[in-house]
Amino acid sequence: NVTSVTVTGPGSADVPASDGVNHYEYRTSSDAGTTWSAPATGASVVISAEGSTLVQLRAVDGAGNASAWVPSVAGAGNTVMLDRGAPTNPTVSGATGAWSNAASAVVTASGSTDGGSAVSGYEYQTSFNGGAFSQSTPGSSVTVSAEGTTVVQFRSIDGAGNRSGWVQGTVKLD
């Protein structure tokens, strides 16, 4: 979830050494390698577009001979995945806000979506009878069994660590 990532290619040598490496070129693809940008001069490239971007580099010698594009297949070393957007707020169920004489209530979060790195989970906090909220706890459900008023709030987390807003529900047990 950073602003940008710089991808830099490894060094290259020319054989025979008389021509020498004149410059490097890079190209990018935002559609899994189906199409590529026009080659641009540079040994590194700054990627700031959200989504998945593949990067390939090559060396060009003094005579204009170009190496093969490397790496030849997508992998961790040449794929930049940026996601700065938060997932959608979850839907909270099981917390009606009405008084109940049940022994407990299960409060659940679900339904969040994320257009980038996908929802990786949920976390919740509780507040009993108007007190401070507890530490955040990973999980998409919690069982409330304490008599009184318990406010439960959930938020979703995506694969890049972005978090949605808190969504609350109230459980009243007597």
Side-chain angles (χ1 to χ4, degrees), residues 4-170:
S4 64
V5 172
T6 301
V7 178
T8 302
S12 205
D14 190 32
V15 178
S18 60
D19 287 342
V21 174
N22 179 274
H23 66 278
Y24 294 93
E25 294 178 336
Y26 65 85
R27 66 182 185 175
T28 62
S29 174
S30 60
D31 60 8
T34 301
T35 60
W36 292 90
S37 66
T41 301
S44 63
V45 58
V46 176
I47 305 297
S48 59
E50 284 195 76
S52 182
T53 303
L54 300 178
V55 178
Q56 288 184 325
L57 292 109
R58 69 180 178 186
V60 180
D61 69 14
N65 300 309
S67 70
W69 290 105
V70 293
S72 59
V73 295
N78 72 324
T79 304
V80 176
M81 297 184 298
L82 296 177
D83 177 5
R84 294 183 290 273
T88 62
N89 289 345
T91 300
V92 175
S93 59
T96 65
W99 284 100
S100 170
N101 64 356
S104 63
V106 177
V107 185
T108 304
S110 63
S112 291
T113 59
D114 185 76
S117 57
V119 173
S120 65
Y122 298 88
E123 62 186 7
Y124 66 88
Q125 295 177 322
T126 59
S127 171
F128 182 67
N129 285 337
F133 277 99
S134 64
Q135 292 268 347
S136 296
T137 302
S140 61
S141 67
V142 60
T143 301
V144 176
S145 57
E147 282 195 64
T149 301
T150 302
V151 176
V152 180
Q153 61 183 15
F154 284 92
R155 66 181 173 186
S156 56
I157 306 168
D158 70 15
N162 300 309
R163 288 168 164 73
S164 72
W166 289 105
V167 177
Q168 294 184 345
T170 302

